[in-house]
Amino acid sequence: MAVRKSQRRGKPCLVIDIRYTTKNGRQERFRKDAQTQSMTAAKAEEKRYMLNIARYGSPYEPGAESETPQSIPPESVKTFAEVVDEFRQTFMVTDLKITTRKGYDAVFASELLPKFGALPITQVDGRAAEELDLELTKRTLALSTRNNIQIVLRSLLRFAASRQYIPAIPANMPTLKKIGQSVLEIPTDEQVALLLDHARKSHRLSFTLMSDAGLRPNEVRALRRRDVQLRYENGEPVGGFITIRRGWSHGEIHTPKTGQREVPISPELARVLAPEMHGDREGHIATNYLGLPWGQFGLDQAFERVIHRAGLEGWSIYSLRHYAITSWLRAGIPVHVVQRMAGHVHLSTTQRYVHFLKADLEDAARKIAARGRSPSSPPANAPA
């Protein structure tokens, strides 16, 4: 295999590894880290070396420095906007989920195309990226926003390098800024109960799927009756499982972040689900008050209305999912099982909720210590 995965200082790395025979019959081996660490770009780079071997008997053109990328002929240079156009029609379609594509498109439209669109792609280098970051800083944009813009720019430049529109990704790109973790929004049992009490009957199922089964909004929108297996005892729904097979975002069906997963159904959720299980097995089970599948923003808007009625301003719809995950941990479910139920890619994400619960316990310990209850005097006839 000419492109293989390896480890470099504990991190994954793509290595180009080619065995070939020189024109004088000598066996040689050419190895180097891929200039751009994506499989598509590494294979394109490997193909370039293979063509050179076929033409010249060496991975490099005669006279080229062994570690210096080949120059790009001026007449073949594309503009930044032209590369963005190609990027959108190829890589963004095949490699990015719809929600990520929407984010990339917003960054291109608002920040990158207005600044770099007319420039040759070869002029969008590390210095240009640093100047852009300085402008963003002066506009007092959040660190996360600045990082997102630089991530999109890097992704485009990797693509340009893989297509050989630029020799390689610029070496002096700005470093991504370290961002502290945001505070988790975890409502209490009483707040969730109040929210569900104030929700429309037709909306209560959608919110309970998030508060009890931890579904994401896009997973609620995509859920079908065939994805739900209820368990009954003495004719009453008491549990079962939900199979999360897909998400729905911006009019497109997509797979969940970590693939399919199963989540157990609580007795409370089972009681809400049972009346909705009659009908087409392919039909959407969570719908709006008109009985139609949720649109992209309908669920969020319904949530905003219900928290306003309940007097719980300031919560986001994801607080219901956060509540479900902490409830599982409080119930003693092992953290690696919670990771699978929540569909977290990394265990460290689930560990954030564990740290939140630890803070709860520490706060409880402080309150107990601060009660200041004086020990009662022992009875006169108590043994010494």
Side-chain angles (χ1 to χ4, degrees):
M1 182 180 293
V3 178
R4 58 182 175 80
K5 296 179 180 179
S6 184
Q7 293 283 324
R8 186 79 69 243
R9 292 183 290 277
K11 295 183 178 180
C13 177
L14 293 176
V15 177
I16 297 172
D17 191 346
I18 305 172
R19 296 178 186 272
Y20 65 98
T21 304
T22 63
K23 290 186 176 181
N24 60 12
R26 190 172 69 251
Q27 297 294 314
E28 294 285 354
R29 187 177 186 182
F30 172 77
R31 283 181 293 179
K32 72 181 291 292
D33 291 356
Q35 291 175 355
T36 304
Q37 289 293 304
S38 76
M39 186 57 74
T40 301
K43 284 185 177 295
E45 184 181 354
E46 173 252 338
K47 183 178 179 181
R48 187 171 73 245
Y49 293 134
M50 295 289 285
L51 287 172
N52 285 341
I53 289 170
R55 290 172 182 168
Y56 313 117
S58 165
Y60 298 100
E61 291 184 18
E65 293 290 334
S66 62
E67 291 299 327
T68 302
Q70 299 176 28
S71 61
I72 308 296
E75 63 273 11
S76 67
V77 173
K78 291 178 176 282
T79 66
F80 184 89
E82 288 173 330
V83 179
V84 169
D85 222 23
E86 189 175 336
F87 182 68
R88 280 171 164 159
Q89 295 175 36
T90 55
F91 180 84
M92 282 178 60
V93 174
T94 59
D95 288 54
L96 301 181
K97 290 185 181 294
I98 178 63
T99 48
T100 308
R101 294 204 299 271
K102 290 289 184 182
Y104 273 45
D105 277 333
V107 170
F108 283 134
S110 64
E111 303 295 342
L112 298 182
L113 284 171
K115 184 169 181 62
F116 301 131
L119 292 178
I121 187 65
T122 51
Q123 290 185 21
V124 184
D125 54 14
R127 182 172 181 176
E130 288 176 345
E131 290 174 354
L132 170 65
D133 193 49
L134 180 60
E135 289 180 17
L136 300 175
T137 304
K138 290 179 178 178
R139 286 162 51 189
T140 65
L141 295 185
L143 289 178
S144 58
T145 303
R146 289 164 54 195
N147 279 351
N148 288 340
I149 293 168
Q150 291 293 338
I151 287 168
V152 174
L153 179 58
R154 288 181 185 203
S155 184
L156 180 79
L157 293 176
R158 277 196 298 271
F159 173 80
S162 74
R163 295 297 176 99
Q164 300 182 42
Y165 300 147
I166 57 176
I169 295 178
N172 56 337
M173 294 290 288
T175 56
L176 297 180
K177 310 303 182 284
K178 188 173 181 179
I179 301 172
Q181 290 185 335
S182 58
V183 177
L184 290 171
E185 297 176 318
I186 315 288
T188 64
D189 295 342
E190 293 76 18
Q191 288 170 325
V192 171
L194 183 63
L195 185 148
L196 295 176
D197 285 344
H198 280 78
R200 284 176 179 263
K201 184 179 179 182
S202 55
H203 295 172
R204 198 168 297 138
L205 170 57
S206 299
F207 296 146
T208 310
L209 284 166
M210 296 190 70
S211 67
D212 281 44
L215 271 66
R216 299 179 176 93
N218 71 76
E219 295 165 348
V220 173
R221 292 192 292 264
L223 195 67
R224 310 295 178 98
R225 288 187 180 90
R226 72 181 180 91
D227 301 325
V228 179
Q229 297 82 44
L230 283 179
R231 181 169 58 85
Y232 291 82
E233 289 182 4
N234 301 321
E236 295 295 323
V238 295
F241 285 90
I242 294 173
T243 303
I244 301 168
R245 294 185 170 92
R246 65 191 76 78
W248 186 96
S249 302
H250 300 283
E252 289 190 16
I253 293 292
H254 55 84
T255 55
K257 285 185 178 180
T258 51
Q260 296 186 14
R261 69 185 192 275
E262 284 191 327
V263 181
I265 297 172
S266 68
E268 294 83 358
L269 178 56
R271 287 191 289 271
V272 180
L273 279 167
E276 309 300 327
M277 291 300 294
H278 309 292
D280 180 9
R281 293 289 293 167
E282 291 298 322
H284 289 81
I285 196 165
T287 58
N288 61 22
Y289 74 98
L290 296 174
L292 300 174
W294 289 105
Q296 178 64 31
F297 304 107
L299 196 54
D300 300 75
Q301 291 166 353
F303 182 81
E304 288 296 323
R305 289 192 294 270
V306 75
I307 62 169
H308 180 71
R309 288 198 299 270
L312 297 172
E313 304 289 354
W315 297 106
S316 76
I317 194 168
Y318 271 88
S319 63
L320 295 176
R321 173 172 157 82
H322 299 331
Y323 170 80
I325 296 168
T326 52
S327 296
W328 296 335
L329 290 166
R330 285 190 176 109
I333 300 173
V335 67
H336 69 279
V337 178
V338 172
Q339 177 193 7
R340 190 163 64 247
M341 290 166 59
H344 288 154
V345 177
H346 303 292
L347 184 61
S348 59
T349 304
T350 317
Q351 290 283 3
R352 288 188 64 202
Y353 295 86
V354 177
H355 295 155
F356 178 87
L357 294 181
K358 185 179 179 182
D360 273 358
L361 292 173
E362 290 172 346
D363 184 53
R366 284 193 295 270
K367 288 177 179 177
I368 291 171
R371 285 185 307 179
R373 187 179 67 198
S374 300
S376 57
S377 300
N381 59 352

